[in-house]
Amino acid sequence: MKLPVMKSNEFDAGLFQKRIRKVQKKLKKGEILILFAATHKIRNRDVEYKFRQNSDFYYLTGIREEDSIIVLTSDAVGMFCLPKDKEKEIWTGIRLGKDKIKSMLDLDFTYDLNDWDKQKSAILIGNHTLYYFFGENPDRDRELLQECKNLSERAREGKFGPHRIEHPYFLHEERLIKSKEEIQILKNAAEITKFGHMRIMRESKPGLYEYELEALLEQEYLKYGSIGGGYGHIVASGKNACILHYVNNDDRLLDGDLVLVDSGAEWNYYTADVTRVFPVGKKFSDAQKTIYEVVLYAQKNAIRQSVTGIPFNEVHEKTVRFLADCLREMGFLKGNLDEILEKETYKKFYMHRTGHYLGMDVHDVGRYFIDGKSRPLKDGQVVTVEPGLYFDPNDDSIPKEFRGIGIRIEDDILINGKEPINLTESIPKEVSEIEALKS
């Protein structure tokens, strides 16, 4: 399947207008929401990192330009954006400008960005509550806190500004449940991810370096219009797989070792998140296959349990119980199962959660607990399911043939009543499928 390349000028005005007005309706009189776009980050000296828009800002506006600001109240919605500047546009590309953005998003007002300093006081006046993602940008935090303080000192004029700052949780609630359009984008990201994972399964061999597999992943992702990985690629061969967030990717692949690859393509601002494990050579060893099959069974079982209404944390707890019992039966853990769970001795081998929310961010937004209770899964959520087992390469208490084995198997699951949909199911994970690709 050859996917269409996503063109940078594609823009669904109706979609973003609808999102803006839906969020606006959640604001009461005297409440104001301010969102800042991302800014370019310096990599070194005059070199910038590749720009990627802030997810919340993009979700609401679809605008990919840096440093913009959107302001919502119950009465009006407006934006501050980069001014048209012919000289700068020669160097960095054409800017939309305030007039075009106002038309595109059907806004009530727009200003050039350099008007923000003189307008922000008037925008904040008369609002008692500021909804803002405090803590993401210290400079913006200080700026808004100072402006709120300045306004509080004008009480004798009969004027006031926000005296309360709250997290815009309602925006993240909107992002938590995916629309049909978002699910299709995630399916495209999953399909591109499949091409990358299957290629490196086929082409890995002793003597290559981890970064060569990483390069193949990027090549496949970029070929289909992805910006690349939605997060840093983990290509961990041998004992490196026991480092959960290994990103050096500079070791040589050795015959007899496994490769753990945790990587997902980002397509049109939504990312897949997939982990697969395969042998460098042709076959799994007996010890590798034993652990792999345990993790695979746990993963399939956790996917089946990911149904509407089940508390999200319950999937993790059941997975922990199963893996701990397997470790006990194989002799890796001592004592009865309840003692193992109470003392958490299983964390020697399984130290992370079984899944997380997925969407525009690899660890996507949304609350996991409400009033201290694990949140039940709902239709339209997308979550990962990713159990694993890791055997410390330097632990002499572990039989030699198991030391340095790290297995994690991860898929992206759409919650769909009692029938969860595995968006990444077509990426091989059965031992027989993987070994067939390697033959």
Side-chain angles (χ1 to χ4, degrees), residues 182-198:
E182 290 175 291
I183 291 167
Q184 185 56 55
I185 293 172
L186 281 164
K187 286 179 177 178
N188 288 350
E191 188 72 6
I192 296 170
T193 301
K194 178 182 78 172
F195 297 148
H197 276 267
M198 290 186 68

Side-chain angles (χ1 to χ4, degrees), residues 299-334:
Q299 199 235 10
K300 290 179 179 178
N301 202 38
I303 291 173
R304 285 192 294 269
Q305 294 166 1
S306 299
V307 298
T308 301
I310 190 172
F312 187 49
N313 197 51
E314 189 173 318
V315 178
H316 173 67
E317 290 173 345
K318 289 180 177 179
T319 301
V320 166
R321 189 171 190 88
F322 171 77
L323 290 176
D325 198 31
C326 290
L327 290 166
R328 182 186 62 81
E329 288 187 358
M330 290 188 289
F332 293 110
L333 291 175
K334 305 299 182 184

Side-chain angles (χ1 to χ4, degrees), residues 225-271:
S226 165
I227 67 164
Y231 54 98
H233 306 285
I234 296 172
V235 183
S237 63
K239 64 184 180 181
N240 296 330
C242 295
I243 303 171
L244 299 183
H245 287 172
Y246 173 82
V247 291
N248 288 347
N249 299 346
D250 58 3
D251 255 3
R252 197 167 191 171
L253 276 59
L254 302 177
D255 198 15
D257 280 348
L258 298 176
V259 187
L260 183 154
V261 177
D262 187 338
S263 175
E266 180 178 311
W267 195 77
N268 199 21
Y269 277 83
Y270 289 77
T271 186

Side-chain angles (χ1 to χ4, degrees), residues 12 55 149 159-160 171 204 210-211 230-231 235 241 264 273-275 280 286 366 369 378 380 427:
D12 186 346
S55 294
K149 180 178 181 296
K159 297 177 181 179
F160 66 91
L171 177 55
S204 69
E210 293 163 343
Y211 55 73
Y231 54 98
V235 183
D273 184 6
V274 175
T275 305
V280 171
D286 289 343
F369 289 83
K378 289 184 177 181
I427 304 175

Side-chain angles (χ1 to χ4, degrees), residues 7 23 53 82 90 122 153 157 166 187 199 214 229 247 285 287 294 318 322 344 382 396:
K7 298 177 182 178
V23 171
Q53 185 58 280
L82 294 174
I90 291 171
E153 295 172 351
E157 302 174 33
E166 292 200 19
K187 286 179 177 178
R199 184 174 178 187
E214 181 179 14
V247 291
S285 71
V294 168
K318 289 180 177 179
F322 171 77
E344 297 186 334
V382 178
D396 292 340

Side-chain angles (χ1 to χ4, degrees), residues 25 124 150-151 201 205 284 288 350 372 387 398 405:
K25 287 179 181 178
L124 288 168
N150 293 344
L151 290 173
M201 284 183 191
K205 60 183 179 181
F284 289 85
Q288 292 166 350
Y350 183 39
I398 298 173
I405 293 177

Side-chain angles (χ1 to χ4, degrees), residues 21 23-33 71-77 108 127:
R21 297 306 171 182
V23 171
Q24 183 190 22
K25 287 179 181 178
K26 297 183 182 296
L27 296 171
K28 299 181 178 66
K29 189 74 175 177
E31 297 177 340
I32 183 170
L33 168 64
V71 178
L72 294 86
T73 67
S74 61
D75 300 320
V77 180
D108 299 300
N127 292 294

Side-chain angles (χ1 to χ4, degrees), residues 31-81:
E31 297 177 340
I32 183 170
L33 168 64
I34 297 179
L35 287 179
F36 293 94
T39 192
H40 276 291
K41 300 292 185 181
I42 299 299
R43 180 181 183 274
N44 59 297
R45 198 164 172 78
D46 295 328
V47 179
E48 296 171 335
Y49 285 104
K50 187 175 182 179
F51 180 74
R52 200 270 192 188
Q53 185 58 280
N54 172 277
S55 294
D56 289 312
F57 191 90
Y58 183 81
Y59 176 82
L60 205 56
T61 71
I63 301 299
R64 304 179 187 222
E65 293 183 353
E66 68 272 19
D67 297 326
S68 301
I69 306 166
I70 188 168
V71 178
L72 294 86
T73 67
S74 61
D75 300 320
V77 180
M79 189 180 294
F80 293 79
C81 50

